[in-house]
Amino acid sequence: MSGSAAGPASGGRVPLAETLRPRTLNEVIGQAHLLGEGKPLALAFRSGKPHSMIFWGPPGVGKTTLARLTATAFDCEFIALSAVFSGVKDIRAAMEQAQAYLARGQRTILFVDEIHRFNKAQQDALLPHVESGLFTFIGATTENPSFEVNSALLSRAQVYVLKSLDEDELRQLLARARDKALAHLSFEAKAIDTLVGYADGDARRFLNLLEQCDIAAGAAGISTIDADFVSNALSLNARRFDKGGDNFYDQISALHKSVRGSSPDGALYWLSRMLDGGADPRYLARRIVRMAWEDIGLADPRAMQIANDAALTFERLGSPEGELALGQAVIYLAVAPKSNAGYKAYNAARAFVKQDGSREVPVHLRNAPTRLMKELGYGHEYRYAHDEPHAYAAGERYLPDDMPEPGWYQPVPRGLELKIADKLAFLRGLDAQSGAGSSEGDSD
């Protein structure tokens, strides 16, 4: 027998998420950082003065519910639009409805779900009505509003960041679900752990999983849910992962920073999270190669080779076998000595050239393939380094005549760059002995 509520008119099932939808702020589970005593949203509700706002957070954490409760708290009419399905015609109709409410002395809250799906023109269409006070705007988005919401609209709305529910909060949600709709079911501890894990902080997903358990248990004629039943009876999707959104870029950032921070476990965790979530392993391979060049560089040139070999191994083996090579690569990169000296030197040189003028190539460095060029002095007095002691032309300059030595490359005291710094110091000493006093390669 199912414990889900039934619709009074249709006789159909009312979704568990709807049955448990909070009717007051006190019923909201989670978001204590916004709704707790003295917290921003709690203070806003207490003020009695509605203001435009944007709820930014992952799916299933209560953005729509909070928008509805805001309308109730401020005694406003509630108009909801979905940016996925609504166009200019729907926006215009909402404006007309808000004007009708205003004519009756009633304030309106216009809620736009997935506001990031509106293009610039559609977002701009809201702006004059927000400014005129026709309605209070509330947007909901899973994407970073800094990038996805027009700056003019963003500047007129307070952004509230919502968080995924933690394990304790999901267990509170289970207790409420059992009280209101699932009292006929019992859940073993491991089954609860499995459900909480697969919900991944998403309350809506968690309630959908509970509802699937209810339906499957009714079909099987059982009332006790164990971990095996959960694994066998439910369609369990991958953990939350948006291949093109903030979650994606946050996780690749975490992977890169774990490698840079010399944390092999952290690097393996974020690599595994992204693979589990469906990230393209080829994209990850490219990023791993980039990490080797950016954060290890000449401190351990083997890192670049291992990163390249891992990428080639994946191309040969594919998934899942080739993913092991990526895992081994991030371990090596994480434990390798770190240097961004080459990366910084390259960026500094590029920045200098971009803003500098077109300096002439010194005559002694110019190519002289013709007699005329030789007569003009091209290549004259060029010193062939291999013919000199230590294969080094002490005191020679390789920069434009009017350009001071920039000292862009500064080796770090780690890995192979320790030896590179020693070599540059030795060559600088030869320059000093020659009387040139060159500071090229200064490692101070």
Side-chain angles (χ1 to χ4, degrees), residues 145-317:
S146 300
F147 304 129
E148 304 295 340
V149 178
N150 290 359
S151 57
L153 187 59
L154 187 62
S155 68
R156 289 161 176 80
Q158 177 66 46
V159 176
Y160 295 104
V161 181
L162 277 64
K163 299 179 180 179
S164 299
L165 274 65
D166 62 27
E167 291 189 6
D168 288 340
E169 290 164 344
L170 289 174
R171 291 173 191 274
Q172 292 176 41
L173 193 56
L174 172 60
R176 183 173 296 175
R178 294 195 64 202
D179 287 343
K180 291 196 173 185
L182 303 179
H184 57 290
L185 294 179
S186 62
F187 293 82
E188 293 186 357
K190 288 187 177 180
I192 296 173
D193 291 342
T194 301
L195 289 166
V196 166
Y198 276 102
D200 202 22
D202 184 329
R204 184 168 55 241
R205 174 187 282 190
F206 186 62
L207 293 176
N208 288 341
L209 291 172
L210 293 178
E211 194 162 36
Q212 290 180 51
C213 282
D214 185 18
I215 295 170
I222 65 172
S223 60
T224 299
I225 307 297
D226 60 22
D228 288 339
F229 181 83
V230 170
S231 298
N232 293 329
L234 302 184
S235 173
L236 299 173
N237 298 321
R239 298 183 185 276
R240 181 171 62 244
F241 187 84
D242 182 352
K243 296 181 183 180
D246 275 354
N247 219 19
F248 176 88
Y249 293 108
D250 286 345
Q251 290 185 27
I252 194 63
S253 174
L255 171 60
H256 196 153
K257 288 171 181 172
S258 298
V259 167
R260 181 182 296 149
S262 299
S263 172
D265 288 345
L268 281 174
Y269 173 77
W270 293 113
L271 176 69
S272 298
R273 274 286 302 274
M274 297 193 77
L275 290 171
D276 180 65
D280 182 357
R282 292 176 177 81
Y283 169 81
L284 294 173
R286 293 194 297 271
R287 289 301 298 255
I288 290 167
V289 171
R290 164 70 186 222
M291 294 171 203
W293 287 102
E294 180 176 337
D295 288 295
I296 296 160
L298 299 182
D300 186 353
R302 292 171 298 183
M304 297 79 145
Q305 185 62 54
I306 287 174
N308 279 313
D309 286 348
L312 291 173
T313 299
F314 180 82
E315 290 297 331
R316 176 167 292 185
L317 297 182

